[in-house]
Amino acid sequence: MTDHALDLLRQNPRLAQLAAFPFNFDLDRAADGHVEEVRLASGGPLETVAGDDTGGTYFVCADGSMLYADSEGSAGIIGSSVDEALEIMIGLPGWHDYTRLSPDDGEERILARVAETEEEIREYYGIDEERAELRAALGFPERNPVELVSMLHTALRRTEPDFVLLNDDEGCPYELLGPPGPPLWEPVLAAGRADLALLRAGERAAWEGVAEDPVRRRLALRAAQFDRAEGDLELLRHLLRHEAKSSMTDELRLAAVLVGLRGDTGDLPLLHEVRETTYDTWCGLGGMPGPGASSDALREWAKGLDASLFGTDPADEPVGTWTDLARDQGMTELARVALIRSLDEIVMDQSRLRRPDAPQKLTTAPLRALAHDFEGLGDRIQALRAQRLYAALREGARDRVVARLDQARLERAVGQLPEAVRTLTSLRETLATSEDDSLRNWRCGSLGRVRKVPSGRRDFADTA
């Protein structure tokens, strides 16, 4: 990762002029900044180095990668270094048209697309002599367009999770400039798949190592959920016994289901032993057939839970399953970006909150969960973004007051003091004027607190 070419452009006006036209990498536009204030979701630094005539901006990230953001709300890494990005832009002057191409499209299609785009460019100005001069001056080799498209594709795929660009004011994410990456579950489940293979190999050291580690155990069980094999029963029993140490978890229920699906009535004593571990497990594994139940009854119980809670397609799992497991593995940015994208989908389309049983109503639970998850990641800006929408959609007066208390707390935490004052002012007005029955005795409930007043007597005051 170097910026040798950038140094040459800064030192040589002729080369800088060629880069600006016809290759639309204009160093002078760096002084103008981007069309809006932006930042990386990861919190990493950005250096503005150039712009183009469409309002796009080129940034250099902490690791030297070049990030391009257009004026329409899309952004992506276009090179692992400034040199690589410039080599791609000079070799592919119509590179914006190739962000959705990949090596899988084949040489014939890529070359035809590049030829078509460059012929359109040549109708207005030359690029061939200029490209040859700039390549030679910067020391770039003459690469095949297919190789350059492959380099661009590889760079764009690196955008998530570490280089997601946000609008600094509202925290809204930019769209991906290039192709989407793999589904979240693939990188999250990779370690679990590897451990499942170790368990199936029968190495006792691996059995104990996986079973004793709560994160590895949960991941192995999730891998077994989507890759079910007849010979897994003994290892599933082993994981089930150890998962009971964590009390009631989704993975404990999953392990019980995967064991129960085999219909072996010899597992009923184990299942009941696990159920009786704690009060939570007793409740969470309710409906389990009794010790003398038939194989069919055990299998039907497991099938019912499997159909309602689990299944065999990882794409059907709630995003929270994968973000929790990502966070547990230290994949913080992967979890953060997935949660930001989920929140943005709701912000852009609130119909995603419609209740299946009552389509005319919205459920705000996903927003509350998002706010909680963002706070767990230490991202109070995104937590506040979720909390504001959550508060706005609450229906009852008391529910709105409680939600706005949390909103004001987050506003204070991120330094938005005027906004916190406005939120608390509206909250107090609601408490003073609302005739909603849910607020009738608010001073004596969780919305009030006891305080000492100057006279020494005790009185109630609202938390606002």
Side-chain angles (χ1 to χ4, degrees), residues 290-314:
S294 68
S295 176
D296 286 343
L298 174 59
R299 192 176 288 110
E300 286 305 309
W301 169 78
K303 282 182 178 179
L305 285 179
D306 191 28
S308 62
L309 298 176
F310 300 111
T312 58
D313 187 348

Side-chain angles (χ1 to χ4, degrees), residues 90-128:
I90 294 166
L92 299 171
W95 68 269
H96 294 81
D97 293 340
Y98 315 139
T99 57
R100 294 287 173 172
L101 286 178
S102 80
D104 294 338
D105 291 313
E107 181 176 349
E108 183 178 352
R109 181 183 175 188
I110 292 173
L111 291 176
R113 182 71 174 276
V114 171
E116 179 184 1
T117 299
E118 294 195 355
E119 280 304 310
E120 292 176 358
I121 294 174
R122 292 186 186 97
E123 291 180 8
Y124 299 97
Y125 49 82
I127 55 173
D128 298 304

Side-chain angles (χ1 to χ4, degrees), residues 305-387:
L305 285 179
D306 191 28
S308 62
L309 298 176
F310 300 111
T312 58
D313 187 348
D316 292 338
E317 281 293 319
V319 68
T321 297
W322 305 121
T323 54
D324 285 350
L325 289 170
R327 185 173 55 188
D328 290 344
Q329 294 179 80
M331 300 176 175
T332 304
E333 290 310 311
L334 196 65
R336 187 200 312 275
V337 168
L339 292 170
I340 290 173
R341 297 289 185 198
S342 294
L343 174 56
D344 206 51
E345 289 175 356
I346 294 173
V347 170
M348 300 302 292
D349 182 10
Q350 292 180 19
S351 68
R352 292 174 176 271
L353 297 175
R354 294 194 184 281
R355 291 170 46 180
D357 59 331
Q360 72 279 9
K361 295 185 178 181
L362 301 181
T363 175
T364 55
L367 289 167
R368 189 71 191 102
L370 283 167
H372 177 270
D373 288 344
F374 280 124
E375 283 212 78
L377 292 172
D379 193 336
R380 290 194 175 107
I381 292 292
Q382 293 296 334
L384 175 56
R385 189 170 166 233
Q387 186 66 27

Side-chain angles (χ1 to χ4, degrees), residues 118-374:
E118 294 195 355
E119 280 304 310
E120 292 176 358
I121 294 174
R122 292 186 186 97
E123 291 180 8
Y124 299 97
Y125 49 82
I127 55 173
D128 298 304
E129 293 180 3
E130 294 82 356
R131 176 161 49 192
E133 179 182 352
L134 198 51
R135 265 178 170 167
L138 299 180
F140 293 155
E142 186 174 344
R143 296 187 192 271
N144 184 289
V146 176
E147 185 178 358
L148 291 170
V149 166
S150 178
M151 291 166 60
L152 176 62
H153 176 80
T154 299
L156 289 167
R157 289 290 295 269
R158 292 182 54 241
T159 304
E160 287 193 350
D162 296 319
F163 304 102
V164 172
L165 197 65
L166 304 179
N167 167 285
D168 192 43
D169 183 34
E170 299 180 358
C172 304
Y174 274 50
E175 295 294 326
L176 282 176
L177 187 64
L184 177 62
W185 60 266
E186 282 191 8
V188 172
L189 201 56
R193 286 173 158 176
D195 275 341
L196 181 60
L198 286 176
L199 293 172
R200 286 172 173 170
E203 296 181 15
R204 299 309 301 181
W207 274 48
E208 294 310 313
V210 173
E212 292 292 340
D213 186 313
V215 176
R216 293 181 68 185
R217 185 172 65 236
R218 291 172 62 204
L219 286 165
L221 283 167
R222 288 294 177 178
Q225 175 185 349
F226 307 113
D227 179 12
R228 304 183 182 192
E230 287 298 323
D232 285 350
L233 183 54
E234 190 55 41
L235 70 87
L236 291 172
R237 290 167 175 158
H238 186 64
L239 295 176
L240 173 61
R241 291 187 184 97
H242 283 76
E243 186 61 21
K245 298 175 184 178
S246 297
S247 190
M248 191 60 236
T249 65
D250 288 338
E251 283 73 27
L252 179 68
R253 188 181 285 114
L254 170 62
V257 165
L258 293 176
V259 169
L261 285 172
R262 269 54 178 194
D264 187 338
T265 56
D267 286 319
L268 282 169
L270 169 62
L271 290 169
H272 279 276
E273 177 187 342
V274 167
R275 188 190 178 201
E276 294 172 4
T277 303
T278 66
Y279 178 73
D280 288 338
T281 57
W282 187 84
C283 295
L285 294 175
M288 184 182 292
S294 68
S295 176
D296 286 343
L298 174 59
R299 192 176 288 110
E300 286 305 309
W301 169 78
K303 282 182 178 179
L305 285 179
D306 191 28
S308 62
L309 298 176
F310 300 111
T312 58
D313 187 348
D316 292 338
E317 281 293 319
V319 68
T321 297
W322 305 121
T323 54
D324 285 350
L325 289 170
R327 185 173 55 188
D328 290 344
Q329 294 179 80
M331 300 176 175
T332 304
E333 290 310 311
L334 196 65
R336 187 200 312 275
V337 168
L339 292 170
I340 290 173
R341 297 289 185 198
S342 294
L343 174 56
D344 206 51
E345 289 175 356
I346 294 173
V347 170
M348 300 302 292
D349 182 10
Q350 292 180 19
S351 68
R352 292 174 176 271
L353 297 175
R354 294 194 184 281
R355 291 170 46 180
D357 59 331
Q360 72 279 9
K361 295 185 178 181
L362 301 181
T363 175
T364 55
L367 289 167
R368 189 71 191 102
L370 283 167
H372 177 270
D373 288 344
F374 280 124

